[in-house]
Each structure stands twice: as structure tokens, then as C-alpha cells.
Amino acid sequence: MVTVSVKWQKEVYPAVEIDTSQTPYVFKCQLYDLTGVPPERQKIMVKGGLLKDDADWSKVGVKEGQRLMMMGTADEIVKAPEKGPIFVEDMPEEEQVVNVGHSAGLFNLGNTCYMNSTVQCLHSVPELKSALTEYNQLGKSNDLDHSSHLLTVATRDLFNDLDKNVKPVAPTQFWMVLRKKYPQFGQQSNGAFMQQDAEECWTQLLYTLSQSLKSPSSSEGPDVVKALFGIEFNNRIHCAESGEESTETETVYSLKCHISQEVNHLHEGLKRGLKSELEKASPSLGRSAVYVKDSRIIGLPRYLTVQFVRFFWKRESNQKAKILRWDNTCGIEFW
């Protein structure tokens, strides 16, 4: 991490952090948030010429406290005509957003589409945005670790940025905090960040928010995340070999739609996900045995999440494999 100052026109931004593990394009996205100058219009002077989007920071040679000069013009708001009918495309961008009902988008910082889609889905839930607006670490459980607090704050701040902007937002801070909390999203290959699974990002982020937004006292009502996304199960676990049986209740945040050559409709895939086998120690047999887990839904949330399980485990290669099929009966392409 290197801190520099940036001069643009008459403005000087004295403390801009550069994450040298990311590309200069991400740094340009940060400057876009500060100046309103889109990355493609920015010309940043460095030793040897202009800073390129894919340059290697180690070769650029930027030093701590160095002043960089940026040239470029910020976007201008489109003015509506003074006379005649007003068409949507002639309105200022702020009014266009209001009329069309769109919110700001997110820059792809390099294989971050999984994260951006997760954030945009959660941002569309008004009750969650309200809960995050009211979030304050004071009065929350002391058991909440600091990294969870930082990720919750970063989520709240990113939602605020999306609400108040009409231009795309660079989720730089959120991405950095997410990688620190869950290092799996910081995996790299050949110097570039790897694509990750959106469902895993969704699950990890919802789990963190469920801990952060949990009511200190159960008398204050149900937890926000559980009320909005929680699916309650009643599970019956039994072993045919020993006759052992037990029941339990469980809350999950998505229904699994298992895809196979026999599954042609959503309800068929969901039904398959309600029954599974697991192997565990049997007290009466004194060894491992196969148990069957039958689940029944006893409570649905306000927002139902369905995950299409698109992978299966190949024992011969000991790795995950993607299910590829096209089903004409339901018109859904599984990739």
C-alpha cells in the first residue's frame, strides 16, 4: 500500500491510497469517485510517460508521498431542451435514473462480477438497507469480531454510494474488506485475481450481516437477516441399519435446486434437495453408518433465494465439475 497526493486542475487530494496488488485501473476508479473524471478520460503523469491501465506498479516506481498529476475533464450533465416535448434521453442523468427506476452500477475491478451481482441483489432489498442505515456497533454483541463489523460498515457505505450516485461506483473499499474477512476471494492466478462463486459470496456476506444485525435481546423481535432470508427446516435424521432416529430444526438462507439429466422443472430439483444421505458415527453400532436426512420446510422468508447447484464431485479426478445441459422442456440453459 502506497499513499500519494494527486493534483487535478486546482484541486489537490493529499492522501490517496494505492493498493499495489491491484491494477492501475482500480486506482483510476478511486480517482473517478473523487473527481468525477471517468477512467478512460484520465491521463496520469508518471516517470516515463502516462500511467497505463495494466501497468506493473513495481516498474512504475511510485514512491510514498509522491505527487501525481492527473489531466481530464469530468462528465457533464445533459441539459434538457428549453422548448418542446421532453424525452427521457434529453433529461439530466439524475432525472433519467428516477424516471427509468435504475440505480448506479458497479465497476468490475477484475473478475469481480460474482461480488457485484451479490451486492446488487442485496441492495434491492429496502428492509436490509434500512437495517444497515441504523447499524451501530454500540449496543451490539461484544462477541462480534472486528472484521465482521468492518465488512458490515463497508456494505452500508457501498449501499449509500449506490443510492446517491447515478454514475458507476467503484467498490474498492468493500472488496478490500471482503478479501480480508474471507481470504478465499483474494486467490490469484498468474498475478490476477481469480473468478469466484457468487453463491459462496452471497452465503458468506449474509452470514456476516446476520451476526452484525442480530438483536441483542430475543425479546426485541426476530433477527433482520433471518426474517428477510431465513428458511426454516424440520429435519428427521434416521439410520435404517440401527433404527436410530432424531429430529432437529435448522435455518438456512437458500433452497438448493439440484440439477441432473432427470430434472426438467424447478420443483423437481428442489424436491431432490430435501433428501440427502450422510455418513456419521453410530453410537449403537460403534462404527460409521449411513443416515438419511429428510427435510420439511416449516417457515418461508420474505425473500426466497434459490441456488441452482451446477456442480458435482468427480471422484475419479477428485475435483468439482460443471453440469452442462440444455433442456427444451423448461427452456432453461444450465451452464
Side-chain angles (χ1 to χ4, degrees), residues 197 199 203 254-258 270 305-310:
D197 187 74
E199 190 277 332
T203 299
S254 65
L255 287 179
K256 311 295 183 184
C257 177
H258 288 266
L270 294 177
T305 304
V306 176
Q307 177 202 356
F308 287 94
V309 182
R310 305 179 300 154

Side-chain angles (χ1 to χ4, degrees), residues 84-304:
I86 301 177
F87 300 97
V88 173
E89 58 269 25
D90 296 324
M91 295 179 178
E93 287 185 290
E94 290 84 351
E95 293 184 26
Q96 290 185 30
V97 171
V98 173
N99 281 273
V100 178
H102 292 168
S103 61
L106 291 166
F107 276 108
N108 190 325
L109 303 180
N111 285 336
T112 58
C113 53
Y114 70 94
M115 180 188 75
N116 290 0
S117 59
T118 297
V119 169
Q120 291 284 34
C121 284
L122 292 176
H123 177 253
S124 67
V125 179
E127 298 91 341
L128 182 61
K129 289 200 293 183
S130 298
L132 283 169
T133 301
E134 299 171 1
Y135 172 75
N136 189 329
Q137 189 182 26
L138 297 177
K140 296 296 176 183
S141 171
N142 292 328
D143 295 333
L144 181 66
D145 64 273
H146 188 59
S147 61
S148 294
H149 167 67
L150 292 179
L151 183 54
T152 304
V153 171
T155 305
R156 180 193 65 191
D157 293 344
L158 181 55
F159 281 10
N160 289 337
D161 288 341
L162 289 171
D163 286 334
K164 69 183 181 182
N165 283 283
V166 295
K167 297 289 186 178
V169 174
T172 310
Q173 182 64 25
F174 176 86
W175 189 34
M176 294 171 63
V177 175
L178 178 69
R179 285 183 292 153
K180 184 172 292 186
K181 172 67 176 175
Y182 298 108
Q184 70 188 85
F185 300 118
Q187 295 174 334
Q188 296 188 37
S189 176
N190 298 323
F193 286 100
M194 298 172 58
Q195 177 62 270
Q196 300 291 336
D197 187 74
E199 190 277 332
E200 291 181 6
C201 182
W202 173 276
T203 299
Q204 299 285 36
L205 184 53
L206 271 189
Y207 174 78
T208 299
L209 295 179
S210 70
Q211 298 300 306
S212 303
L213 302 178
K214 185 177 293 183
S215 301
S217 172
S218 59
S219 62
E220 295 183 15
D223 297 332
V224 173
V225 174
K226 182 177 180 181
L228 294 176
F229 303 101
I231 305 161
E232 294 185 64
F233 281 113
N234 186 356
N235 299 324
R236 173 177 171 262
I237 304 172
H238 60 284
C239 176
E241 187 177 3
S242 66
E244 296 169 314
E245 183 173 313
S246 62
T247 59
E248 64 178 13
T249 58
E250 178 186 19
T251 299
V252 299
Y253 295 116
S254 65
L255 287 179
K256 311 295 183 184
C257 177
H258 288 266
I259 300 170
S260 69
Q261 294 299 327
E262 295 76 29
V263 173
N264 296 315
H265 300 280
L266 178 63
H267 73 275
E268 295 173 347
L270 294 177
K271 188 176 181 179
R272 282 175 174 259
L274 296 177
K275 190 170 186 176
S276 60
E277 290 186 351
L278 60 150
E279 186 175 336
K280 65 175 185 174
S282 168
S284 61
L285 297 176
R287 57 175 172 78
S288 295
V290 175
Y291 288 75
V292 175
K293 179 180 178 180
D294 286 305
S295 301
R296 294 293 179 268
I297 300 173
I298 58 176
L300 289 172
R302 186 171 301 180
Y303 297 92
L304 180 62

Side-chain angles (χ1 to χ4, degrees), residues 39-101:
E40 63 271 16
R41 295 188 190 174
Q42 296 177 19
K43 293 183 179 179
I44 301 174
M45 307 299 296
V46 294
K47 184 178 180 181
L50 298 177
L51 179 64
K52 297 182 179 180
D53 291 352
D54 58 351
D56 186 343
W57 283 114
S58 62
K59 297 180 180 179
V60 173
V62 175
K63 299 179 180 179
E64 183 73 19
Q66 182 177 344
R67 172 172 289 190
L68 303 178
M69 178 172 292
M70 185 186 81
M71 296 180 290
T73 56
D75 279 345
E76 296 181 357
I77 298 177
V78 179
K79 296 182 179 179
E82 295 180 0
K83 297 181 180 180
I86 301 177
F87 300 97
V88 173
E89 58 269 25
D90 296 324
M91 295 179 178
E93 287 185 290
E94 290 84 351
E95 293 184 26
Q96 290 185 30
V97 171
V98 173
N99 281 273
V100 178

Side-chain angles (χ1 to χ4, degrees), residues 19-57:
D19 186 349
T20 53
S21 68
Q22 302 178 33
T23 62
Y25 181 79
V26 175
F27 174 59
K28 289 185 176 183
C29 290
Q30 293 176 249
L31 297 180
Y32 172 71
D33 283 345
L34 294 173
T35 65
V37 180
E40 63 271 16
R41 295 188 190 174
Q42 296 177 19
K43 293 183 179 179
I44 301 174
M45 307 299 296
V46 294
K47 184 178 180 181
L50 298 177
L51 179 64
K52 297 182 179 180
D53 291 352
D54 58 351
D56 186 343
W57 283 114

